[in-house]
Structures are given as structure tokens and as C-alpha cells.
């Protein structure tokens, strides 16, 4: 599911975890000439360039991060982040992948996020789907 989604999003992918904040989603730590600093994240670039980005295991994000993503998908034209006015390109899209149940615990998405989905696809791993996936990987 993730590989298929990443192909659709030109390999822009964020692997989600419960400790990610909105700030973590928008900036990446880096060194510039040996000095620590931050640069714009893949999410930031996807937002302003109108690209698709995958949030792998989106349901593991904490509620604040999910509320932030919800805000990005509700028709706003821009938002402010740490003194930057960031324009949301109309073609910007989020693709979320998830395993609903992990370790016997269900990790669901809040209803406002589900309501904003344009498509929900359930994928089940079967011997046939696995063989098809392996075949398509060999053709690449």
C-alpha cells in the first residue's frame, strides 16, 4: 500500500509517529556549513508547489498533528507558521496510508479527517496481490 501510494506522490513520503509535532512536519533539522539549523520539509514544499505527499501510518500521528493536517485540507488559502505566511497551493493533496489494527489495538482517524477524504481504499494482502506486486517490481 505504501509503495503504491508513494509512486502516486513522486516518492514524497513522511513516516508518521505519535511524537511528531506540527513543527516537526514543516521543518527538517540540518547543518549548513557546520552550523545547526532548519530547512523547509517535504511537506512545506508539497504545500506550496501543489504536490501530493504520503503520510505513511497517518493514524499514528497525535491529535494536534492531525488537527493541523485537517486545517490544511479545509479550503484555506494560507496559514502562518513561525512568521512565514505559507500559501496552500490548490493542487496540494495528502495521501494517508495506515494499518487500522496494530498489536491488537485499533488506531482510527478522527471523523473530521475521514470526512475530508475523497477516496478510501481498503487493501488486503492476499497471495495473488503479493504475487502481482512482486511482478510489477520486477518490471521496474
Amino acid at each position: 500500500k505504501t509503495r503504491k501510494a508513494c509512486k502516486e506522490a513522486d516518492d514524497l513520503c513522511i513516516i508518521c509517529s505519535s511524537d511528531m509535532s506540527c513543527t516537526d512536519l514543516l521543518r527538517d533539522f540540518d547543518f549548513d556549513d557546520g552550523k545547526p539549523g532548519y530547512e523547509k520539509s517535504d511537506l512545506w514544499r508539497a504545500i506550496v508547489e501543489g504536490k501530493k505527499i504520503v503520510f505513511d501510518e497517518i493514524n499514528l500521528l497525535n491529535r494536534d498533528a492531525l488537527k493541523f493536517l485537517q486545517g490544511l485540507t479545509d479550503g484555506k488559502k494560507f496559514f502562518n507558521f513561525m512568521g512565514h505566511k505559507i500559501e496552500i497551493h490548490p493542487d496540494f493533496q495528502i495521501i494517508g496510508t495506515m494499518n487500522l489494527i496494530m498489536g491488537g489495538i485499533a488506531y482510527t482517524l478522527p471523523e473530521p479527517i475521514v470526512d475530508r477524504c475523497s477516496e478510501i481504499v481498503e487493501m488486503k494482502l492476499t497471495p495473488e496481490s503479493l504475487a502481482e506486486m512482486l511482478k510489477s517490481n520486477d518490471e521496474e
Side-chain angles (χ1 to χ4, degrees), residues 69-75 111-119:
L69 294 181
Q70 176 184 328
L72 292 177
T73 60
D74 67 1
E111 197 64 32
I113 294 280
V114 175
D115 287 346
R116 285 168 170 76
C117 293
S118 61
E119 182 179 3

Side-chain angles (χ1 to χ4, degrees), residues 17-34:
S17 68
S18 61
D19 62 349
M20 296 177 97
S21 69
C22 301
T23 301
D24 294 333
L25 295 175
L26 287 170
R27 12 178 248 185
D28 292 330
F29 182 77
D30 198 9
F31 285 95
D32 185 18
D33 288 332

Side-chain angles (χ1 to χ4, degrees), residues 1 3 125 128-138:
K1 69 182 178 337
R3 185 173 175 90
L125 187 60
E128 295 80 17
S129 66
L130 182 58
E132 183 64 32
M133 180 185 69
L134 293 172
K135 180 182 173 189
S136 68
N137 286 343
D138 287 341

Side-chain angles (χ1 to χ4, degrees), residues 6-110:
C6 286
K7 282 183 182 180
E8 236 182 275
D10 297 322
D11 289 322
L12 287 175
C13 183
I14 295 174
I15 299 169
C16 300
S17 68
S18 61
D19 62 349
M20 296 177 97
S21 69
C22 301
T23 301
D24 294 333
L25 295 175
L26 287 170
R27 12 178 248 185
D28 292 330
F29 182 77
D30 198 9
F31 285 95
D32 185 18
D33 288 332
K35 296 177 184 172
Y38 292 94
E39 61 182 38
K40 296 173 183 173
S41 71
D42 286 343
L43 174 59
W44 186 317
R45 287 189 295 279
I47 291 168
V48 298
E49 295 172 14
K51 294 184 177 182
K52 295 177 185 177
I53 189 164
V54 174
F55 281 80
D56 187 29
E57 305 301 345
I58 191 171
N59 56 326
L60 298 182
L61 287 174
N62 64 55
R63 295 295 180 206
D64 288 338
L66 286 170
K67 284 181 186 177
F68 171 69
L69 294 181
Q70 176 184 328
L72 292 177
T73 60
D74 67 1
K76 290 184 179 82
K77 302 244 187 253
F78 68 90
F79 66 98
N80 292 304
F81 173 71
M82 300 185 82
H84 299 275
K85 183 177 178 178
I86 302 173
E87 187 172 344
I88 303 171
H89 193 285
D91 294 333
F92 168 69
Q93 290 182 12
I94 294 170
I95 299 172
T97 65
M98 60 189 254
N99 292 309
L100 182 60
I101 299 173
M102 294 173 53
I105 300 171
Y107 294 89
T108 60
L109 287 172

